[in-house]
Amino acid sequence: MTGGQATAPATGSADAGTGRGAILRAARRAFTQRPYAEVTIRQIAADAGVSPALVVKHFGRKEELFNTVADFGPAAAELFDAPLALLGRHMVVTLVVRRRELKSDPLLRVVFSLGNQDERSLLRDRFHEQVTDALTARLSGPDRSLRAELLAGHLLGLGATLSLHREGAGALATPEHIADLYAPALQKLITGWAARGPR
């Protein structure tokens, strides 16, 4: 591994056999692609291949399930859990590993909320608060908010690229090799400003 050490997240299987992961993936698809009023627990259960009762057991009512879908906090906490000097690499490795474990991207669903004025706009608000603002708080130096927005864009761009090329070279590359190529641009936004000196 080059460019410092970054530890990939543990590949836990807490959701294995429970259907929870499948329900959450189905709910993310439903709530990001259709207006809230059109989504039903029964549809989500059918898409996940489980019973409606199991959806309710894991997540409660539709409102509670939507709030889970709109919560980027756990993903952000995992993505940002590294010292600033290693954060760029950690974010890339973690994003790629979690995508492969979850079979979905932990952040990309926010893109489907763009331009929507119904409840899906909550996804944008939560993303801004839990991802962009959290990044801003971690950074120091000039243009913190702008750098945080650009970092969030890099993460979304990586997720979109890997989704677009599901059978491409990225699917065959290790998370560490993807980080070798992609993380330096993120790290420059995190700490690279300090090397430029005063403007």
Side-chain angles (χ1 to χ4, degrees), residues 38-91:
E38 295 181 7
V39 176
T40 68
I41 292 290
R42 187 175 298 276
Q43 291 168 342
I44 291 171
D47 189 21
V50 301
S51 70
L54 190 61
V55 177
V56 173
K57 176 183 176 182
H58 282 302
F59 295 100
R61 298 171 300 165
K62 184 171 85 166
E63 179 182 3
E64 295 165 324
L65 180 54
F66 178 78
N67 283 332
T68 300
V69 167
D71 185 8
F72 294 96
E78 192 171 22
L79 285 167
F80 306 155
D81 186 23
L84 287 180
L86 303 175
L87 186 57
R89 184 174 189 84
H90 172 82
M91 288 195 295

Side-chain angles (χ1 to χ4, degrees), residues 171-188:
L172 302 175
T174 66
E176 290 76 15
H177 186 51
I178 293 172
D180 288 341
L181 299 173
Y182 201 79
L186 278 72
Q187 194 61 42
K188 186 172 183 179

